[in-house]
Amino acid sequence: MKVAILSGSVYGAAEEVAQRAVEVLKGAGFEPWHKAGVKFDEVLAFAPEAVLVVTSTTGMGELPGNLQELYFTLRDRFPAWAGLPGAVLALGDSSYDVFCGGGEQMRELLLELGVREVLPMLRLDASESVTPEDDAMPWLNELAEALKS
């Protein structure tokens, strides 16, 4: 199964988590694909059979700048992803007013596109963790199992 990993990061933590997701999914027999700053046409050319979004959140509860263009293009062009399995892993800081707002935005968009959520969104809190790529491991392993069924 081809899994597109779409990521957006402010300081690089989400990219590290996305790279960990590549390792976990590849180890589970999937064909993961991740490219930071990916464009809509590149995602379509990959023809994903599943979608994972890994995103951090800016201080205002927004998506990171390097994911905004893809978000708006997905929203405007509405790819035929209905029924695809998917999930969102969000990074944020609970000391801000909007915790994991970027992840919430992406989750809502995926649901509008008809993506079938295979796991509840994971919210990783920067005020509690310094190694989100390690903290994400149990959830990523669970995601690999959910994608197999």
Side-chain angles (χ1 to χ4, degrees), residues 33-45:
W33 177 79
H34 172 254
K35 179 181 175 190
V38 69
K39 303 294 184 209
F40 177 78
D41 290 336
E42 293 173 303
V43 176
L44 286 187

Side-chain angles (χ1 to χ4, degrees), residues 18-102:
Q19 286 304 314
R20 183 66 59 91
V22 167
E23 295 167 12
V24 168
L25 293 172
K26 188 176 284 187
F30 295 98
E31 183 184 339
W33 177 79
H34 172 254
K35 179 181 175 190
V38 69
K39 303 294 184 209
F40 177 78
D41 290 336
E42 293 173 303
V43 176
L44 286 187
F46 176 67
E49 298 167 306
V51 178
L52 169 61
V53 176
V54 179
T55 186
S56 58
T57 301
T58 67
M60 299 300 294
E62 301 288 325
L63 287 167
N66 62 351
L67 189 57
Q68 286 183 9
E69 180 183 339
L70 179 61
Y71 171 85
F72 290 118
T73 306
L74 286 168
R75 186 192 68 190
D76 295 343
R77 297 203 28 209
F78 219 80
W81 287 0
L84 288 185
V88 177
L89 191 159
L91 289 80
D93 188 327
S94 62
S95 66
Y96 286 87
D97 291 337
V98 182
F99 177 53
C100 290

Side-chain angles (χ1 to χ4, degrees), residues 124-143:
L124 294 176
D125 189 348
S127 67
E128 296 179 0
S129 172
V130 293
T131 55
E133 65 278 7
D134 293 336
D135 294 341
M137 285 298 293
W139 188 88
L140 290 170
N141 287 320
E142 191 177 346
L143 174 65

Side-chain angles (χ1 to χ4, degrees), residues 89-124:
L89 191 159
L91 289 80
D93 188 327
S94 62
S95 66
Y96 286 87
D97 291 337
V98 182
F99 177 53
C100 290
E104 290 290 349
Q105 288 178 25
M106 287 303 301
R107 180 179 176 271
E108 288 173 16
L109 177 61
L110 291 181
L111 292 175
E112 286 176 25
L113 295 173
V115 171
R116 179 176 48 85
E117 189 173 49
V118 296
L119 281 182
M121 184 172 76
L122 176 64
R123 292 168 179 83
L124 294 176

